[in-house]
């Protein structure tokens, strides 16, 4: 069984994000980039399934600029067998990514597609669901535990009321939550081995997909800075401030 794992190149989670002065987007010039943390969890889970003998091959996929090859090499250093880059300089929105992944699913015929529940840059939480709809596959989102038994995937997912357990026929789409696993530390020998692994590069046109953006970003701005707190002498003043200044009661 093949497992397809989409990974996204994003601004590193330790970096303080800055908005461009013209408000057109986030400034990523000279900023450290890394793999989306949720996708790193997805790669780890796929590699663990391979180590258990359930999967035969783990394929990492990324869509975007040439530098995404670095992200794919990281995935291969964790344990993915090969990588596929859909190279484009266009702004890729969730629907476009889902269509590209659908084309690769048709091409590779994986038994499972495991991806992060969302990317930490746009926080859309849409690609996995859109892919499941386009490919007409069962899906389980926010997975905190994945087991594959007798040709079915049993997924424990986190919901508002606690935990929910789903049984999916395969192939299927699974999106990962933070508590699914702890990604392993990537060692230098594995980084060196990853450089020799196969990495195929396609263009969106090769897959017959148009990726032109459908949503226009009008403006990006930083959240307003919080004002300093104040001390009040008594409860009456507190109630007055909440009612007439903050207007929360």
């Amino acid at each position: 069984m093949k497992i397809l794992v989409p990974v996204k190149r994003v601004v590193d989670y330790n970096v303080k994000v800055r908005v461009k002065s013209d408000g057109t987007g986030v400034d990523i010039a000279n900023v450290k980039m890394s793999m989306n943390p949720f996708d790193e969890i997805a790669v780890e889970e796929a590699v663990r399934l391979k180590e258990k003998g359930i999967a035969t091959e783990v394929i990492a996929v990324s869509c975007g600029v040439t530098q995404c090859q670095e992200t794919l090499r990281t995935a291969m250093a964790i344990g993915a067998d090969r990588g596929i880059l859909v190279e484009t300089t266009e702004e890729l929105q969730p629907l476009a990514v889902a269509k590209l992944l659908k084309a690769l699913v048709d091409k590779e015929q994986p038994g499972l597609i495991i991806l992060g529940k969302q990317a930490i840059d746009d926080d859309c939480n849409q690609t996995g669901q859109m892919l499941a709809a386009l490919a007409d596959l069962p899906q389980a989102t926010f997975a905190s535990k994945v087991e594959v038994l007798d040709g079915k995937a049993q997924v424990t997912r986190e919901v508002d009321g606690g935990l929910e357990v789903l049984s999916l026929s395969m192939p299927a789409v699974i999106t990962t939550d933070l508590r699914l696993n702890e990604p392993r530390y990537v060692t230098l020998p594995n980084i060196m081995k990853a450089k020799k692994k196969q990495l195929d590069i396609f263009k969106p046109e090769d897959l017959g997909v148009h990726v032109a953006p459908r949503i226009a970003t009008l403006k990006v701005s930083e959240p307003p800075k919080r004002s300093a707190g104040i001390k009040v002498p008594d409860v009456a003043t507190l109630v007055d401030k909440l009612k007439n200044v903050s207007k929360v009661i």
Side-chain angles (χ1 to χ4, degrees):
M1 178 182 76
K2 293 181 184 177
I3 301 180
L4 198 71
V5 187
V7 296
K8 186 176 184 181
R9 179 176 181 263
V10 299
V11 175
D12 190 87
Y13 67 93
N14 287 313
V15 173
K16 178 174 172 54
V17 175
R18 300 185 184 279
V19 175
K20 292 179 181 177
S21 57
D22 58 2
T24 56
V26 172
D27 187 3
I28 60 171
N30 302 314
V31 169
K32 182 184 177 184
M33 307 292 281
S34 61
M35 187 190 302
N36 178 45
F38 291 103
D39 295 338
E40 196 172 357
I41 291 168
V43 176
E44 174 67 26
E45 191 64 24
V47 171
R48 290 187 186 186
L49 289 172
K50 186 189 172 190
E51 290 170 346
K52 291 176 183 175
I54 295 168
T56 55
E57 186 179 29
V58 177
I59 308 164
V61 179
S62 193
C63 305
V65 294
T66 306
Q67 291 88 334
C68 291
Q69 291 186 36
E70 300 167 12
T71 308
L72 287 170
R73 293 294 179 195
T74 302
M76 288 188 276
I78 294 172
D81 298 290
R82 59 187 172 96
I84 298 174
L85 171 61
V86 183
E87 190 175 4
T88 178
T89 55
E90 285 270 11
E91 177 197 351
L92 290 176
Q93 295 174 349
L95 181 59
V97 176
K99 287 181 176 179
L100 291 171
L101 294 177
K102 162 66 165 59
L104 291 173
V105 166
D106 293 340
K107 179 181 174 66
E108 296 288 344
Q109 295 293 310
L112 271 179
I113 303 98
I114 307 178
L115 66 162
K117 69 172 184 177
Q118 66 194 73
I120 62 171
D121 52 1
D122 56 20
D123 273 337
C124 281
N125 180 22
Q126 295 174 343
T127 305
Q129 293 88 328
M130 288 177 169
L131 172 60
L134 290 171
D136 195 23
L137 296 175
Q139 63 173 307
T141 56
F142 313 133
S144 60
K145 186 178 180 181
V146 176
E147 293 179 306
V148 179
L149 299 166
D150 303 323
K152 288 186 177 291
Q154 185 168 296
V155 179
T156 303
R157 61 187 301 267
E158 299 186 350
V159 295
D160 291 340
L163 299 176
E164 179 180 64
V165 180
L166 302 178
S167 179
L168 309 177
S169 57
M170 297 195 299
V173 176
I174 298 173
T175 71
T176 63
D177 211 338
L178 280 175
R179 278 160 289 281
L180 179 57
N181 61 51
E182 183 74 30
R184 69 192 67 189
Y185 177 77
V186 180
T187 61
L188 183 58
N190 286 337
I191 292 173
M192 300 307 293
K193 288 176 186 176
K195 292 181 179 180
K196 299 179 181 178
K197 291 184 179 180
Q198 179 183 344
L199 199 162
D200 300 316
I201 299 176
F202 298 98
K203 299 287 186 184
E205 308 85 68
D206 301 334
L207 302 173
V209 178
H210 298 288
V211 295
R214 295 177 175 228
I215 301 171
T217 301
L218 301 180
K219 185 182 179 183
V220 177
S221 59
E222 293 188 12
K225 292 183 179 178
R226 295 179 63 180
S227 57
I230 59 170
K231 290 183 177 180
V232 292
D234 49 46
V235 174
T237 309
L238 172 62
V239 172
D240 178 66
K241 294 285 187 186
L242 292 174
K243 183 181 289 185
N244 301 315
V245 179
S246 301
K247 300 186 185 301
V248 294
I249 59 173

